[in-house]
Amino acid sequence: ELNEAMQRTGLLRQQVEVLEKQNGTLNDDLAKEREELEDLRIQTAQAEATIKHLMEQKRRHDEALSVYAADKEELDNRLAESLTQIQALDGARQQLKTELKAKAEEVARHIKNETALRERADKLASEAKEDRREREKAVAAM
């Protein structure tokens, strides 16, 4: 029984080590995902600022169009460019939002996995502690 308990304790220790390594890997992955998520947030903020800037440009273009009717064709072309940029940036913003959501879901999965690994490691540690107590009782009984 003592040998079996010692073997089980050794196996449990190995399992705990494997789980700790997996947890470290997941922590590294989670840190990378958080960095990527922050990068996406920054890119989204930049895209939104650019869109705001372009919307302001469009407003100014509209005012100039009413004042300078003679330059209507030129101003219409500039407005078309701005609208194209706005649409492109809005598309990029939508894509970034989708990617941000996907990254957030991935981070949530990593957190869930990390929690499950920690719970498993805690359980294994508790089992190892209980096995040690039983082994100590067995040795004391001898």
Side-chain angles (χ1 to χ4, degrees):
E1 282 185 23
L2 180 59
N3 282 341
E4 287 178 14
M6 290 174 70
Q7 287 176 350
R8 279 194 359 227
T9 299
L11 289 173
L12 288 172
R13 283 186 180 142
Q14 290 174 351
Q15 289 174 347
V16 166
E17 289 176 12
V18 168
L19 287 172
E20 287 174 347
K21 286 179 184 176
Q22 290 174 347
N23 188 36
T25 300
L26 284 174
N27 282 339
D28 293 344
D29 291 346
L30 182 59
K32 288 176 187 174
E33 293 299 331
R34 285 183 176 150
E35 287 177 14
E36 290 177 11
L37 182 62
E38 187 58 32
D39 288 345
L40 287 174
R41 284 186 182 139
I42 291 168
Q43 290 173 8
T44 299
Q46 290 171 343
E48 288 175 349
T50 302
I51 288 170
K52 184 177 178 181
H53 171 72
L54 290 172
M55 293 297 277
E56 178 60 26
Q57 266 187 330
K58 180 189 174 300
R59 185 191 62 76
R60 288 193 310 266
H61 289 167
D62 288 344
E63 290 174 0
L65 185 62
S66 66
V67 174
Y68 302 106
D71 296 334
K72 184 177 184 317
E73 184 175 328
E74 180 185 342
L75 291 175
D76 283 345
N77 290 339
R78 290 164 93 191
L79 179 59
E81 287 176 15
S82 292
L83 289 174
T84 301
Q85 289 175 346
I86 288 169
Q87 290 170 347
L89 288 170
D90 191 48
R93 183 181 61 84
Q94 290 296 332
Q95 182 180 354
L96 287 172
K97 282 175 92 174
T98 301
E99 290 174 7
L100 182 64
K101 182 178 178 184
K103 291 294 181 184
E105 290 170 358
E106 190 173 341
V107 167
R109 282 193 306 276
H110 282 291
I111 290 170
K112 184 179 177 183
N113 288 342
E114 181 182 13
T115 301
L117 283 173
R118 283 184 184 165
E119 290 172 358
R120 177 75 177 135
D122 289 347
K123 181 179 176 187
L124 288 173
S126 176
E127 289 174 6
K129 189 176 181 181
E130 184 61 32
D131 284 350
R132 187 173 25 86
R133 283 190 201 132
E134 289 177 15
R135 191 175 63 242
E136 289 172 1
K137 285 181 185 177
V139 168
M142 286 184 178

